[in-house]
């Protein structure tokens, strides 16, 4: 990944994620995890910028004047000049790619399920708001709004199980 692409990704992430959002601070464990992730990301970005350019040349002349054994510095200088290590390149393994793709698909499935649950909860909340009980609400109104509870209540009355839900 080039410096420009890292910069673009970093800017996009900063725009799309509100790190100061309350859901990042609500759970102490989550807050610690988010904080450590942000620290890791910042250190990774710092290291990427630090090591994006080749290292500066070593000034062997100044070191020769400060070291007693100048042949040692001369040997290090010749080794440094003749050594040309190959650049390391990282290739993402196909197994890891497949694993991450599977994880992403699972996360999308969980996200869809969560979205369905949110929609159902919002519909239930709206239903409860429209059927809010007041001093004028009668037992018949409650039975009409909540037929499953009314059926259970009638069954308990018929079976004379008045204290079924009471804690002993």
């Amino acid at each position: 990944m080039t410096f420009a692409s890292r910069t673009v990704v970093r800017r996009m992430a900063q725009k799309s994620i509100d790190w100061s959002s309350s859901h990042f601070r609500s759970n102490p464990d989550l807050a610690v995890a988010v904080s450590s992730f942000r620290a890791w990301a910042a250190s990774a970005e710092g290291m990427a910028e630090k090591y994006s350019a080749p290292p500066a040349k070593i000034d062997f002349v100044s070191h020769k004047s400060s070291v007693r054994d100048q042949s040692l510095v001369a040997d290090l200088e010749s080794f440094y000049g003749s050594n040309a290590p190959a650049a390391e390149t990282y290739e993402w393994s196909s197994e890891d790619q497949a694993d991450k793709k599977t994880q992403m698909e699972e996360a999308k499935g969980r996200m869809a399920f969560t979205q369905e649950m949110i929609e159902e909860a919002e519909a239930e909340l709206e239903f409860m708001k429209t059927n809010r009980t007041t001093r004028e609400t009668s037992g018949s109104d409650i039975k009409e709004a909540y037929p499953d509870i009314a059926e259970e209540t009638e069954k308990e009355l018929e079976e004379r199980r008045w204290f079924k839900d009471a804690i002993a």
Side-chain angles (χ1 to χ4, degrees), residues 103-152:
Q103 288 179 4
M104 290 296 289
E105 293 301 320
E106 289 173 359
K108 287 177 184 175
R110 288 191 305 267
M111 183 69 146
F113 176 70
T114 303
Q115 191 62 36
E116 288 176 17
M117 287 178 47
I118 289 171
E119 290 169 2
E120 289 174 5
E122 287 174 347
E124 183 70 20
L125 182 62
E126 189 61 35
F127 174 78
M128 290 179 159
K129 284 181 180 178
T130 57
N131 293 309
R132 184 173 284 155
T133 59
T134 62
R135 291 182 187 261
E136 289 79 32
T137 306
S138 68
S140 301
D141 294 338
I142 294 175
K143 285 181 180 181
E144 289 174 14
Y146 303 100
D148 53 337
I149 295 174
E151 182 181 327
E152 181 184 349

Side-chain angles (χ1 to χ4, degrees), residues 43-85:
S43 69
E45 288 174 3
M47 289 177 67
E49 289 178 18
K50 178 180 179 182
Y51 296 114
S52 63
K57 296 289 183 181
I58 299 173
D59 184 18
F60 286 102
V61 175
S62 65
H63 293 295
K64 281 183 182 178
S65 63
S66 62
V67 175
R68 257 186 284 164
D69 189 4
Q70 293 182 2
S71 64
L72 178 64
V73 177
D75 290 342
L76 287 173
E77 184 177 11
S78 66
F79 176 72
Y80 180 77
S82 66
N83 189 12

Side-chain angles (χ1 to χ4, degrees), residues 17-39:
I17 299 174
D18 180 16
W19 294 109
S20 62
S21 179
S22 62
H23 63 271
F24 286 127
R25 291 181 277 128
S26 61
N27 182 345
D29 294 334
L30 180 63
V32 168
V34 167
S35 177
S36 64
F37 172 76
R38 291 183 68 200

